[in-house]
Coordinates of all heavy atoms in Angstrom, one line a residue:
W13 N -29.4 -92.4 5.2 CA -28.4 -91.6 5.9 C -27.6 -90.8 4.9 O -27.4 -89.6 5.2 CB -27.5 -92.6 6.7 CG -26.6 -92.0 7.7 CD1 -26.9 -91.1 8.6 CD2 -25.2 -92.3 7.8 NE1 -25.7 -90.7 9.4 CE2 -24.7 -91.5 8.9 CE3 -24.3 -93.1 7.1 CZ2 -23.4 -91.5 9.3 CZ3 -23.0 -93.1 7.6 CH2 -22.5 -92.3 8.6
F14 N -27.1 -91.4 3.9 CA -26.3 -90.6 2.9 C -27.1 -89.6 2.2 O -26.6 -88.5 1.9 CB -25.6 -91.6 1.9 CG -24.1 -91.8 2.1 CD1 -23.6 -91.8 3.4 CD2 -23.3 -91.9 1.1 CE1 -22.2 -91.9 3.6 CE2 -21.9 -92.1 1.3 CZ -21.4 -92.1 2.5
V15 N -28.3 -89.8 1.9 CA -29.2 -88.8 1.2 C -29.4 -87.7 2.2 O -29.3 -86.5 1.8 CB -30.5 -89.4 0.8 CG1 -31.5 -88.3 0.4 CG2 -30.4 -90.4 -0.3
S16 N -29.6 -88.0 3.5 CA -29.8 -86.9 4.5 C -28.5 -86.1 4.7 O -28.6 -84.8 4.7 CB -30.2 -87.5 5.8 OG -30.4 -86.6 6.8
I17 N -27.4 -86.7 4.7 CA -26.1 -86.0 4.9 C -25.9 -85.1 3.7 O -25.5 -83.9 3.8 CB -24.9 -87.0 5.0 CG1 -25.0 -87.8 6.3 CG2 -23.6 -86.3 4.9 CD1 -24.1 -88.9 6.5
Y18 N -26.1 -85.6 2.5 CA -25.9 -84.8 1.3 C -26.8 -83.5 1.3 O -26.2 -82.4 1.1 CB -26.3 -85.7 0.1 CG -26.2 -84.9 -1.3 CD1 -25.0 -84.7 -1.9 CD2 -27.4 -84.6 -1.9 CE1 -24.9 -84.0 -3.1 CE2 -27.3 -83.9 -3.2 CZ -26.1 -83.6 -3.7 OH -26.0 -83.0 -4.9
H19 N -28.0 -83.7 1.6 CA -28.9 -82.5 1.6 C -28.6 -81.6 2.8 O -28.7 -80.3 2.7 CB -30.4 -82.9 1.6 CG -30.8 -83.4 0.3 ND1 -30.9 -82.6 -0.8 CD2 -31.1 -84.7 -0.2 CE1 -31.3 -83.3 -1.9 NE2 -31.4 -84.6 -1.5
Y20 N -28.2 -82.2 3.9 CA -27.9 -81.3 5.1 C -26.6 -80.5 4.8 O -26.6 -79.3 5.2 CB -27.6 -82.2 6.3 CG -27.3 -81.5 7.6 CD1 -28.3 -80.8 8.2 CD2 -26.1 -81.5 8.1 CE1 -28.1 -80.1 9.4 CE2 -25.8 -80.7 9.3 CZ -26.8 -80.1 9.9 OH -26.6 -79.4 11.1
N21 N -25.7 -81.1 4.2 CA -24.5 -80.3 3.8 C -24.8 -79.2 2.8 O -24.2 -78.1 2.9 CB -23.4 -81.2 3.2 CG -22.8 -82.2 4.2 OD1 -23.0 -82.0 5.4 ND2 -22.0 -83.2 3.7
R22 N -25.7 -79.4 1.9 CA -26.1 -78.4 1.0 C -26.8 -77.3 1.7 O -26.6 -76.1 1.4 CB -27.0 -79.0 -0.1 CG -26.2 -79.9 -1.1 CD -27.2 -80.6 -2.0 NE -27.9 -79.8 -2.9 CZ -27.5 -79.4 -4.1 NH1 -26.3 -79.8 -4.6 NH2 -28.2 -78.6 -4.9
W23 N -27.7 -77.6 2.6 CA -28.3 -76.6 3.5 C -27.3 -75.8 4.2 O -27.5 -74.6 4.3 CB -29.3 -77.3 4.4 CG -29.8 -76.4 5.5 CD1 -30.9 -75.5 5.5 CD2 -29.3 -76.3 6.8 NE1 -31.0 -74.9 6.6 CE2 -30.0 -75.3 7.5 CE3 -28.2 -76.9 7.5 CZ2 -29.8 -74.9 8.8 CZ3 -27.9 -76.5 8.8 CH2 -28.7 -75.5 9.4
A24 N -26.3 -76.5 4.8 CA -25.3 -75.8 5.6 C -24.5 -74.8 4.8 O -24.2 -73.7 5.3 CB -24.4 -76.8 6.2
I25 N -24.3 -75.1 3.5 CA -23.6 -74.2 2.6 C -24.4 -73.0 2.3 O -24.0 -71.8 2.4 CB -23.2 -74.9 1.3 CG1 -22.1 -76.0 1.6 CG2 -22.6 -73.9 0.3 CD1 -21.9 -77.0 0.5
V26 N -25.7 -73.2 2.0 CA -26.6 -72.1 1.6 C -26.8 -71.2 2.8 O -26.9 -69.9 2.6 CB -27.9 -72.7 1.1 CG1 -29.0 -71.6 0.9 CG2 -27.7 -73.4 -0.2
T27 N -26.9 -71.7 4.0 CA -27.2 -70.9 5.1 C -25.9 -70.4 5.9 O -26.0 -69.9 7.0 CB -28.0 -71.7 6.1 OG1 -27.4 -72.9 6.5 CG2 -29.4 -72.0 5.5
N28 N -24.7 -70.7 5.2 CA -23.5 -70.2 5.8 C -23.2 -70.6 7.2 O -22.8 -69.8 8.0 CB -23.4 -68.6 5.7 CG -23.5 -68.1 4.3 OD1 -22.7 -68.6 3.4 ND2 -24.3 -67.1 4.0
Q29 N -23.4 -71.9 7.4 CA -23.0 -72.4 8.8 C -21.5 -72.3 9.0 O -20.7 -72.5 8.1 CB -23.5 -73.9 8.9 CG -25.0 -74.0 8.8 CD -25.7 -73.3 9.9 OE1 -25.4 -73.5 11.0 NE2 -26.7 -72.5 9.5
P30 N -21.1 -71.9 10.2 CA -19.7 -71.6 10.5 C -18.8 -72.8 10.4 O -17.6 -72.7 10.2 CB -19.7 -71.1 11.9 CG -21.0 -71.6 12.5 CD -22.0 -71.6 11.4
W31 N -19.3 -74.0 10.5 CA -18.5 -75.2 10.5 C -18.3 -75.8 9.1 O -17.6 -76.9 9.0 CB -19.1 -76.3 11.4 CG -20.6 -76.5 11.3 CD1 -21.6 -75.9 12.0 CD2 -21.3 -77.3 10.3 NE1 -22.8 -76.3 11.6 CE2 -22.7 -77.1 10.5 CE3 -20.9 -78.1 9.2 CZ2 -23.6 -77.8 9.8 CZ3 -21.8 -78.7 8.5 CH2 -23.2 -78.6 8.7
V32 N -18.8 -75.2 8.1 CA -18.7 -75.8 6.7 C -17.2 -75.8 6.3 O -16.5 -74.8 6.5 CB -19.5 -74.9 5.7 CG1 -19.2 -75.3 4.3 CG2 -21.0 -75.1 6.0
S33 N -16.8 -76.9 5.7 CA -15.4 -77.0 5.2 C -15.4 -77.4 3.7 O -16.5 -77.5 3.1 CB -14.7 -78.2 6.0 OG -15.3 -79.4 5.6
S34 N -14.3 -77.5 3.2 CA -14.2 -77.8 1.7 C -14.8 -79.2 1.4 O -15.3 -79.4 0.3 CB -12.7 -77.9 1.3 OG -12.0 -78.8 2.1
E35 N -14.8 -80.1 2.4 CA -15.4 -81.4 2.2 C -16.9 -81.2 2.0 O -17.5 -82.0 1.2 CB -15.2 -82.3 3.4 CG -15.8 -83.7 3.3 CD -15.5 -84.6 4.5 OE1 -14.7 -84.2 5.3 OE2 -16.0 -85.7 4.5
H36 N -17.5 -80.3 2.7 CA -19.0 -80.1 2.6 C -19.3 -79.3 1.3 O -20.3 -79.6 0.6 CB -19.5 -79.2 3.7 CG -19.3 -79.8 5.1 ND1 -18.3 -79.4 5.9 CD2 -20.0 -80.8 5.7 CE1 -18.4 -80.1 7.0 NE2 -19.4 -81.0 6.9
M37 N -18.4 -78.5 0.8 CA -18.6 -77.7 -0.4 C -18.9 -78.6 -1.6 O -19.6 -78.2 -2.5 CB -17.4 -76.8 -0.6 CG -17.2 -75.7 0.4 SD -18.7 -74.6 0.5 CE -18.6 -73.7 -1.1
N38 N -18.2 -79.7 -1.7 CA -18.4 -80.5 -2.9 C -19.9 -81.1 -3.0 O -20.2 -81.5 -4.1 CB -17.4 -81.7 -3.0 CG -17.5 -82.7 -1.9 OD1 -18.6 -82.9 -1.3 ND2 -16.4 -83.4 -1.7
C39 N -20.7 -81.0 -2.0 CA -22.1 -81.4 -2.1 C -22.8 -80.4 -3.0 O -23.8 -80.7 -3.6 CB -22.7 -81.4 -0.7 SG -22.3 -82.8 0.3
M40 N -22.3 -79.1 -3.0 CA -22.9 -78.1 -3.9 C -22.5 -78.3 -5.3 O -23.2 -78.0 -6.3 CB -22.5 -76.7 -3.4 CG -23.6 -75.7 -3.1 SD -25.2 -76.3 -2.5 CE -26.1 -74.9 -2.9
E41 N -21.3 -78.8 -5.5 CA -20.7 -78.9 -6.8 C -21.1 -80.2 -7.5 O -21.0 -80.3 -8.8 CB -19.2 -78.8 -6.7 CG -18.7 -77.5 -6.1 CD -17.3 -77.5 -5.6 OE1 -16.7 -78.6 -5.7 OE2 -16.8 -76.5 -5.1
L42 N -21.4 -81.2 -6.8 CA -21.7 -82.5 -7.3 C -23.1 -82.9 -7.2 O -23.8 -82.6 -6.2 CB -20.8 -83.6 -6.6 CG -19.3 -83.3 -6.6 CD1 -18.6 -84.4 -5.7 CD2 -18.7 -83.4 -8.0
T43 N -23.6 -83.7 -8.2 CA -24.9 -84.3 -8.0 C -24.8 -85.4 -7.0 O -23.7 -85.8 -6.6 CB -25.4 -84.9 -9.4 OG1 -24.5 -86.0 -9.7 CG2 -25.4 -83.9 -10.5
F44 N -25.9 -86.0 -6.6 CA -25.9 -87.0 -5.6 C -25.1 -88.2 -6.1 O -24.2 -88.7 -5.4 CB -27.3 -87.4 -5.1 CG -27.2 -88.5 -4.1 CD1 -26.9 -88.2 -2.7 CD2 -27.6 -89.8 -4.4 CE1 -26.9 -89.2 -1.8 CE2 -27.5 -90.8 -3.4 CZ -27.2 -90.5 -2.1
P45 N -25.3 -88.7 -7.3 CA -24.5 -89.9 -7.8 C -23.1 -89.5 -7.9 O -22.2 -90.4 -7.5 CB -25.1 -90.1 -9.2 CG -26.5 -89.6 -9.1 CD -26.4 -88.4 -8.2
E46 N -22.7 -88.3 -8.3 CA -21.3 -87.9 -8.3 C -20.7 -87.9 -6.9 O -19.5 -88.3 -6.7 CB -21.2 -86.6 -9.0 CG -21.5 -86.6 -10.5 CD -21.5 -85.2 -11.1 OE1 -21.7 -84.2 -10.3 OE2 -21.4 -85.1 -12.3
W47 N -21.5 -87.4 -5.9 CA -21.0 -87.3 -4.6 C -20.7 -88.7 -4.0 O -19.7 -88.9 -3.4 CB -22.0 -86.5 -3.7 CG -21.6 -86.3 -2.3 CD1 -20.7 -85.5 -1.8 CD2 -22.2 -87.0 -1.2 NE1 -20.6 -85.6 -0.4 CE2 -21.6 -86.5 0.0 CE3 -23.2 -88.0 -1.0 CZ2 -21.9 -87.0 1.3 CZ3 -23.5 -88.4 0.2 CH2 -22.9 -87.9 1.4
V48 N -21.7 -89.6 -4.2 CA -21.5 -91.0 -3.7 C -20.3 -91.6 -4.3 O -19.5 -92.3 -3.7 CB -22.8 -91.8 -3.9 CG1 -22.5 -93.3 -3.6 CG2 -23.9 -91.3 -3.1
T49 N -20.2 -91.4 -5.6 CA -19.0 -92.0 -6.4 C -17.7 -91.5 -5.8 O -16.7 -92.2 -5.7 CB -19.1 -91.7 -7.9 OG1 -20.4 -92.3 -8.4 CG2 -18.0 -92.3 -8.6
N50 N -17.7 -90.2 -5.5 CA -16.5 -89.6 -4.9 C -16.2 -90.1 -3.6 O -15.1 -90.4 -3.2 CB -16.7 -88.0 -4.8 CG -15.5 -87.3 -4.4 OD1 -14.4 -87.5 -5.0 ND2 -15.6 -86.5 -3.3
R51 N -17.3 -90.3 -2.7 CA -17.1 -91.0 -1.4 C -16.5 -92.4 -1.6 O -15.7 -92.8 -0.8 CB -18.4 -91.1 -0.7 CG -19.1 -89.8 -0.3 CD -18.4 -88.9 0.7 NE -17.4 -88.0 0.0 CZ -16.5 -87.3 0.6 NH1 -16.3 -87.4 1.9 NH2 -15.7 -86.5 0.0
Y52 N -17.0 -93.1 -2.6 CA -16.6 -94.5 -2.8 C -15.1 -94.5 -3.3 O -14.3 -95.3 -2.9 CB -17.4 -95.1 -3.9 CG -17.0 -96.5 -4.2 CD1 -17.3 -97.6 -3.3 CD2 -16.3 -96.8 -5.4 CE1 -16.9 -98.9 -3.6 CE2 -15.9 -98.1 -5.7 CZ -16.2 -99.1 -4.8 OH -15.8 -100.4 -5.0

């Protein structure tokens, strides 16, 4: 689930989905381990 969310958020940023927020943006800035650690 978390892997899917991470990649989905990255897709949403690249394709300029209108609902993207700053919370989604950090998926582009962080690696997956960094993103999970940030969530934790």
